[in-house]
């Protein structure tokens, strides 16, 4: 599972590098499916975590200790540090409304309200002026986390079958995304495409992970078969109309969990200090800085290596200085 997190983080990384820097580094999976696969992993882990939690408060606190410290850190670091990349003088940069709007919107997980900083990353060389286009998934992540207690309450309150209930959620999510994408294809209204990949559109990935959690022992007993089924479905996506909507959530979820649940893996692939989440948070603004500094003008794989190494170094520093103190508090409190 540690290995898969890095594979998925690099998938998003490469997609953003290609889009923002104008290069074409090859990768075998789309960034949307990489994000969906992250949600599938979350569904598999989080549902069981909530069932084992002593309370809703502890459940939320455990999620917050891992997610919030590096998230707040990258938002504040960009707000302060990118003052030197702004076209505005420092005195004006910190006094204009846009600076405070950026902080308020991003700290409250509403980054779409104000994704850019005043005078930062403006110019024809930038595809987007956004500081960190990866942060949109964080509000979705929290919404998915909070959906678990609601779904479990509904199941218990009305005596529903949990497997069937989750299947209904998955099918509803797929239909929601299909309807919005179909409308987008006919009207060209960009808002429809944006809405299609928000919370409701990601439920299919998350709850496919939950469904696999329900059958985890059977799933683990047939990992090779599950992997081959997932691979076959994944390959078939391009040959089926709207296959990326109808097939991808199941295919990607099966593939990523079939690999993640392999028991006999080398120790080098397992490490408690996984920094893939920090890499996900840091890579976008670093790619933008690559363009700002002109390093993007170097040959593709040199500029790519520079931004990869920068991302890894800052992610490791953030993990050990920002994240671990909060995780240790959790360990000391509950052990």
């Amino acid at each position: 599972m540690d290995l898969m997190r890095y594979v998925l983080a690099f998938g998003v990384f490469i997609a953003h590098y290609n889009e923002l820097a104008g290069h074409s580094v090859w990768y075998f999976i789309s960034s949307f499916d990489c994000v969906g696969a992250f949600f599938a992993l979350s569904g598999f882990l989080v549902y069981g975590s909530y069932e084992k939690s002593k309370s809703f408060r502890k459940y939320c606190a455990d999620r917050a200790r891992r997610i919030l410290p590096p998230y707040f850190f990258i938002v504040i670091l960009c707000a302060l540090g990118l003052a030197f990349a702004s076209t505005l003088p420092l005195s004006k940069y910190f006094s204009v409304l846009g600076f405070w709007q950026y902080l308020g919107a991003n700290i409250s997980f509403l980054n779409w309200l104000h994704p850019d900083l005043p005078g930062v990353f403006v110019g024809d060389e930038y595809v987007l002026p956004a500081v960190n286009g990866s942060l949109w998934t964080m509000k979705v992540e929290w919404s998915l986390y909070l959906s678990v207690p609601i779904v479990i309450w509904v199941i218990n309150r009305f005596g529903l079958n949990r497997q069937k209930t989750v299947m209904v959620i998955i099918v509803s999510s797929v239909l929601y995304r299909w309807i919005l994408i179909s409308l987008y294809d006919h009207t060209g209204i960009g808002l429809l495409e944006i809405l299609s990949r928000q919370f409701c559109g990601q439920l299919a990935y998350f709850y496919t992970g939950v469904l696999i959690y329900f059958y985890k022992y059977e799933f683990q007993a047939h990992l090779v078969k599950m992997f081959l089924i997932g691979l076959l479905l994944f390959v078939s996506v391009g040959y089926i109309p709207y296959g990326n909507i109808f097939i991808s959530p199941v295919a990607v979820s099966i593939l990523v969990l079939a690999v993640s649940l392999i028991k006999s893996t080398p120790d080098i692939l397992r490490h408690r200090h996984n920094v893939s989440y920090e890499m996900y948070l840091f890579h976008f603004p670093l790619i933008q800085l690559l363009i700002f500094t002109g390093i993007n003008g170097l040959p593709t794989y040199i500029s790519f290596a520079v931004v990869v190494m920068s991302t890894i170094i800052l992610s490791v520093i953030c993990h050990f200085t920002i994240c671990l103190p909060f995780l240790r508090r959790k360990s000391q409190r509950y052990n």
Side-chain angles (χ1 to χ4, degrees):
M1 196 168 289
D2 283 335
L3 174 64
M4 285 310 304
R5 287 192 176 108
Y6 285 117
V7 169
L8 299 173
F10 267 107
V12 178
F13 190 131
I14 291 173
H16 286 154
Y17 175 77
N18 289 340
E19 179 185 3
L20 298 175
H23 294 294
S24 56
V25 176
W26 179 84
Y27 208 65
F28 60 91
I29 184 172
S30 71
S31 62
F32 184 84
D33 281 336
C34 286
V35 170
F38 269 124
F39 290 145
L41 286 175
S42 293
F44 181 88
L45 296 171
V46 167
Y47 194 95
S49 175
Y50 181 74
E51 286 188 324
K52 297 170 187 174
S53 290
K54 298 177 182 178
S55 66
F56 175 73
R57 180 180 177 180
K58 181 182 182 299
Y59 168 77
C60 291
D62 288 347
R63 307 281 80 73
R65 282 189 182 89
R66 179 64 183 103
I67 289 177
L68 295 186
Y71 177 84
F72 289 150
F73 177 73
I74 188 63
V75 169
I76 295 171
L77 178 65
C78 286
L80 299 178
L82 291 177
F84 299 97
S86 175
T87 57
L88 300 180
L90 290 180
S91 58
K92 189 174 182 180
Y93 174 83
F94 291 108
S95 62
V96 297
L97 182 60
F99 173 81
W100 300 102
Q101 288 176 326
Y102 168 84
L103 272 181
N106 284 269
I107 286 177
S108 59
F109 297 99
L110 300 174
N111 62 297
W112 55 275
L113 287 176
H114 209 87
D116 55 326
L117 282 164
V120 176
F121 303 143
V122 292
D124 294 338
E125 66 269 33
Y126 299 100
V127 176
L128 294 170
V131 173
N132 198 336
S134 299
L135 299 187
W136 71 270
T137 61
M138 302 312 300
K139 65 181 181 298
V140 177
E141 184 89 359
W142 273 109
S143 299
L144 292 170
Y145 288 165
L146 295 175
S147 75
V148 171
I150 297 173
V151 169
I152 291 178
W153 180 85
V154 170
I155 289 172
N156 294 336
R157 176 67 177 81
F158 297 99
L160 303 176
N161 178 282
R162 65 177 189 172
Q163 286 89 345
K164 291 180 180 178
T165 302
V166 165
M167 287 181 185
V168 168
I169 294 172
I170 294 169
V171 172
S172 300
S173 173
V174 168
L175 290 176
Y176 164 87
R177 182 160 162 73
W178 173 63
I179 290 169
L180 288 190
I181 289 296
S182 298
L183 289 173
Y184 168 70
D185 289 341
H186 284 88
T187 64
I189 300 174
L191 179 62
L192 294 171
E193 192 278 330
I194 293 172
L195 291 174
S196 74
R197 50 185 165 88
Q198 298 299 317
F199 168 70
C200 291
Q202 300 296 341
L203 284 168
Y205 289 92
F206 186 83
Y207 279 94
T208 300
V210 172
L211 191 63
I212 293 173
Y213 168 77
F214 292 158
Y215 298 99
K216 61 182 176 181
Y217 297 114
E218 295 87 345
F219 190 87
Q220 283 183 300
H222 302 92
L223 282 184
V224 175
K225 290 181 181 178
M226 291 297 100
F227 177 82
L228 292 175
I229 290 172
L231 185 61
L232 179 63
L233 290 172
F234 185 74
V235 171
S236 71
V237 165
Y239 300 95
I240 299 174
Y242 292 107
N244 61 320
I245 297 174
F246 293 112
I247 307 298
S248 283
V250 175
V252 169
S253 300
I254 291 175
L255 274 176
V256 72
L257 282 163
V259 175
S260 297
L261 295 176
I262 295 173
K263 292 182 179 180
S264 302
T265 54
D267 289 338
I268 194 172
L269 299 182
R270 297 194 301 265
H271 201 282
R272 63 193 181 96
H273 296 299
N274 189 295
V275 299
S276 57
Y277 172 56
E278 288 83 357
M279 289 173 60
Y280 180 83
L281 294 178
F282 272 94
H283 77 275
F284 197 102
L286 287 174
I287 295 172
Q288 294 283 59
L289 280 173
L290 187 82
I291 300 168
F292 173 77
T293 58
I295 296 176
N296 184 50
L298 296 173
T300 299
Y301 287 97
I302 294 178
S303 65
F304 183 66
V306 169
V307 76
V308 167
M309 291 306 301
S310 301
T311 300
I312 292 173
I313 291 169
L314 287 176
S315 298
V316 170
I317 292 171
C318 176
H319 181 78
F320 282 94
T321 59
I322 305 297
C323 302
L324 280 190
F326 287 90
L327 296 176
R328 284 172 182 150
R329 287 181 195 176
K330 169 190 170 182
S331 178
Q332 292 168 359
R333 183 173 181 179
Y334 297 113
N335 287 342

